Amino acid sequence: MRDSYMDDPVFADWRAGLPVERPEAYDLPEEYTAWAALVRETVGRGVVMRRARIVSEPVTAYIRWEHAITERHNVALGEQVRWLPRSKASDLALPGNDLWLVDERLVLFHWFTGDGEWAGHETTEDPAVVKMVTGAFEAVWERAVPHAHYTI
């Protein structure tokens, strides 16, 4: 839900003009390839992976970069991705941190510092938290625009 995150070497390369959205033109770092393997394996088991991005508009350079690599790095692997402008989320009750909801039973929250650096994480299976996060995610998902229809 942030408009920028920690410094990422692929983001830095993109800012420098390297064509990171074309697979044949760029080798992604190990953490990207590890994520790709996890997504392929998970989707291959029939699991639906949905990613919702809530963004301010006009978007930051970081979000323009995320959008540029989403087709190759997320959608092509099998993730479903949707985008929701922050202005369309004003009446939604949203968690205060980035998160992953796993099988509607586990939430992994990620924390970042004010300047976007990694600050830690926490998992919970608390039914009340899982219910709140599930409801928030579904509300965002219904309102958000599929990646192919969100233009920057």
Side-chain angles (χ1 to χ4, degrees):
M1 291 194 298
R2 298 177 55 90
D3 290 313
S4 74
Y5 291 86
M6 61 236 146
D7 198 26
D8 183 296
V10 180
F11 175 47
D13 288 348
W14 178 83
R15 282 190 317 230
L18 293 175
V20 298
E21 62 276 346
R22 290 188 11 243
E24 68 280 2
Y26 197 82
D27 292 323
L28 292 171
E30 190 277 329
E31 63 266 19
Y32 283 75
T33 57
W35 176 255
L38 175 65
V39 172
R40 276 190 205 98
E41 188 273 328
T42 303
V43 171
R45 289 187 287 116
V47 175
V48 175
M49 293 185 72
R50 300 183 298 166
R51 178 187 298 259
R53 291 186 168 139
I54 301 171
V55 297
S56 298
E57 291 180 321
V59 299
T60 62
Y62 191 94
I63 297 301
R64 282 195 311 278
W65 166 68
E66 275 192 337
H67 191 270
I69 68 167
T70 292
E71 184 66 36
R72 172 197 176 191
H73 185 65
N74 303 99
V75 175
L77 295 171
E79 284 185 62
Q80 297 175 19
V81 180
R82 291 190 181 182
W83 300 78
L84 182 65
R86 198 171 307 283
S87 62
K88 296 183 190 263
S90 297
D91 62 341
L92 298 178
L94 300 173
N97 294 298
D98 286 11
L99 61 94
W100 288 98
L101 174 62
V102 180
D103 296 335
E104 295 183 358
R105 64 166 187 79
L106 173 78
V107 179
L108 169 61
F109 288 107
H110 292 288
W111 305 318
F112 296 90
T113 65
D115 61 359
E117 293 301 316
W118 175 256
H121 66 272
E122 171 186 39
T123 60
T124 183
E125 293 184 76
D126 180 302
V129 174
V130 171
K131 180 179 179 181
M132 182 271 298
V133 166
T134 300
F137 182 85
E138 292 304 330
V140 167
W141 191 257
E142 285 180 27
R143 221 175 257 192
V145 177
H147 175 73
H149 300 290
Y150 186 72
T151 56
I152 292 181

